[in-house]
């Protein structure tokens, strides 16, 4: 149950800033350089709501297996996208969490 709550909360937090600013998330999706131009806005609008619903479903245990399947598919797709862009040598913001959280951890030295 604790794992469901942690993963669900991560997906909810990750979706909220994307829902609040879809244009910025569309730029992030565009920077992946993997999607056809006509799908960018559609992905940027729909994906955050899928993340939000999946996160809420995990936390509330409403269809937990289906929610876990959706979360797993999203994580697998994201890992594939990141891998492709790392192999290309692209430097980009993944757009997963709000910028202030990303900057907080980016400035922290790894020991």
């Amino acid at each position: 149950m604790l794992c469901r709550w942690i993963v669900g909360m991560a997906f909810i937090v990750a979706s909220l800033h994307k829902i609040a600013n879809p244009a910025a998330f569309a730029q992030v999706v565009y920077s992946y350089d993997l999607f056809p131009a006509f799908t960018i806005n559609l992905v940027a609008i729909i994906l955050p709501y899928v993340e939000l619903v999946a996160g809420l479903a995990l936390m509330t245990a409403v269809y937990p297996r289906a929610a876990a399947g959706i979360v797993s598919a999203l994580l697998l797709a994201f890992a594939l996208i990141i891998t492709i862009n790392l192999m290309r040598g692209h430097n980009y913001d993944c757009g997963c969490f709000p910028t202030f959280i990303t900057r907080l951890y980016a400035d922290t030295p790894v020991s």
Side-chain angles (χ1 to χ4, degrees):
M1 186 170 102
L2 180 62
C3 290
R4 275 197 345 249
W5 274 70
I6 291 170
V7 173
M9 185 57 71
F11 269 77
I12 291 168
V13 169
S15 71
L16 293 179
H17 77 96
K18 296 173 193 172
I19 291 170
N21 194 352
F25 184 55
Q27 290 177 337
V28 170
V29 172
Y30 179 77
S31 74
Y32 289 152
D33 198 24
L34 290 172
F35 300 98
F38 69 91
T39 65
I40 300 291
N41 288 335
L42 189 61
V43 169
I45 291 169
I46 293 174
L47 185 62
Y49 287 100
V50 172
E51 291 177 343
L52 177 65
V53 169
L56 288 170
L58 274 179
M59 290 188 69
T60 60
V62 174
Y63 299 111
R65 289 183 188 213
I70 292 169
V71 166
S72 296
L74 289 172
L75 290 172
L76 181 63
F78 181 67
L80 182 63
I81 289 168
I82 294 296
T83 301
I84 290 169
N85 277 302
L86 286 174
M87 290 173 57
R88 290 178 175 173
H90 286 191
N91 187 13
Y92 59 91
D93 174 22
C94 74
C96 301
F97 293 99
T99 306
F100 69 89
I101 293 175
T102 306
R103 287 188 187 147
L104 176 69
Y105 289 105
D107 296 335
T108 306
V110 177
S111 47

